């Protein structure tokens, strides 16, 4: 394994500056849409943590935050289709305006499950905000209210997204060299 994580990258898709300005825009749109309301941001652990921290500060309204963890891909890059709650919310969502914050929507299976699960708890509303949208491999449609960037079917890392728990702390979004995850 190389010490220089940059060597594992094929290219940078979105620079730190591009990500920051897009998040500012998302925050402004959310601020407008929710004026007069309180938002409960629900981050999907662990990938959404970095995005959520920046998005929360771009929203100029009262926000509460909570987190859920669901089973994901582990160390491989293909979806099992199995979704399991590993950590549930700490707060009640009844009558709250829920904004689900996700790092990336790929097959849509995770968000589809989460939406159904959360609706059963009787919130006032639910919307989805995702940093990245990868529609090519969608298996089930999910309504995305706020989308940072739509990307082709690349495996991306950085800004919270990992490969085998690595690269989450890149301040940009990049594409790994295939040999990094195939090798
Ligand atoms: P689904 O397929 O349920 O999956 O929409 C969403 C989750 O899959 C992970 N995922 C990725 N993680 N780079 C990553 O680091 C990627 O390109 C990628 N595509 C999907 C991610 O955990 C996301 O929450
Ligand atoms: Mg995730």
């Amino acid at each position: 394994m190389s010490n220089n994580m940059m060597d594992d990258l094929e290219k940078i898709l979105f620079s730190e500056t591009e990500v920051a300005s897009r998040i500012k825009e998302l925050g402004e749109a959310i601020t407008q849409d929710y004026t007069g309301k309180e938002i409960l941001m629900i981050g999907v652990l662990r990938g959404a943590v970095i995005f959520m921290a920046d998005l929360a500060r771009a929203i100029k309204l009262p926000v509460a935050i909570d987190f859920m963890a669901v089973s994901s891909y582990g160390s491989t890059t293909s979806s099992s289709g199995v979704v399991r709650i590993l950590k549930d919310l700490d707060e009640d969502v009844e009558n709250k305006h829920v904004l689900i914050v996700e790092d990336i929507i790929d097959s849509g299976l995770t968000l589809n499950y989460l939406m159904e699960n959360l609706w059963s708890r009787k919130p006032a509303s639910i919307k989805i905000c995702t940093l990245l949208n990868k529609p090519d491999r969608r298996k089930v449609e999910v309504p995305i209210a706020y989308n940072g960037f739509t990307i082709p079917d690349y495996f991306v890392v950085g800004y919270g997204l990992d490969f085998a728990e690595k690269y989450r702390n890149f301040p940009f979004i990049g594409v790994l060299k295939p040999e990094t995850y195939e090798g």
Side-chain angles (χ1 to χ4, degrees):
M1 194 188 291
S2 81
N3 285 322
N4 187 355
M5 292 194 297
M6 293 296 289
D7 292 345
D8 300 338
L9 278 185
E10 182 145 313
K11 62 179 169 185
I12 291 177
L13 262 193
F14 304 107
S15 70
E16 187 168 2
T17 315
E18 287 172 307
V19 172
S21 74
R22 188 68 189 117
I23 292 177
K24 191 163 171 282
E25 290 173 354
L26 291 174
E28 284 165 1
I30 292 166
T31 301
Q32 277 209 338
D33 294 349
Y34 285 88
T35 299
K37 293 175 182 149
E38 277 182 37
I39 301 172
L40 174 60
M41 298 177 79
I42 297 181
V44 185
L45 293 171
R46 282 165 271 183
V49 163
I50 291 173
F51 173 45
M52 179 140 143
D54 286 343
L55 182 67
R57 284 174 286 188
I59 298 172
K60 308 302 176 192
L61 294 171
V63 300
I65 65 171
D66 203 345
F67 295 96
M68 278 180 94
V70 294
S71 63
S72 63
Y73 298 175
S75 299
T76 72
T77 55
S78 59
S79 175
S80 64
V82 180
V83 179
R84 203 157 47 93
I85 295 182
L86 305 176
K87 182 224 167 285
D88 208 342
L89 299 172
D90 293 327
E91 304 296 327
D92 201 344
V93 305
E94 193 169 343
N95 297 323
K96 305 268 175 67
H97 291 287
V98 168
L99 183 64
I100 302 176
V101 181
E102 179 59 300
D103 53 358
I104 186 165
I105 302 180
D106 186 7
S107 71
L109 292 169
T110 308
L111 261 288
N112 182 59
Y113 171 82
L114 270 186
M115 287 281 274
E116 275 182 24
N117 182 287
L118 290 173
W119 271 123
S120 74
R121 308 182 197 196
K122 312 238 181 318
S125 68
I126 304 181
K127 282 192 191 181
I128 293 172
C129 179
T130 188
L131 176 61
L132 299 168
N133 179 22
K134 197 155 73 170
D136 291 359
R137 302 201 308 168
R138 197 74 96 245
K139 288 186 183 146
V140 47
E141 268 323 304
V142 287
I144 304 175
Y146 308 100
N147 174 31
F149 305 97
T150 296
I151 62 168
D153 186 13
Y154 293 139
F155 192 80
V156 293
V157 295
Y159 219 84
L161 293 120
D162 72 307
F163 173 68
E165 290 308 317
K166 218 176 151 190
Y167 314 106
R168 288 195 199 273
N169 57 325
F170 277 153
F172 46 78
I173 295 160
V175 181
L176 282 182
K177 288 177 183 161
E179 60 257 38
T180 307
Y181 52 88
E182 283 163 2

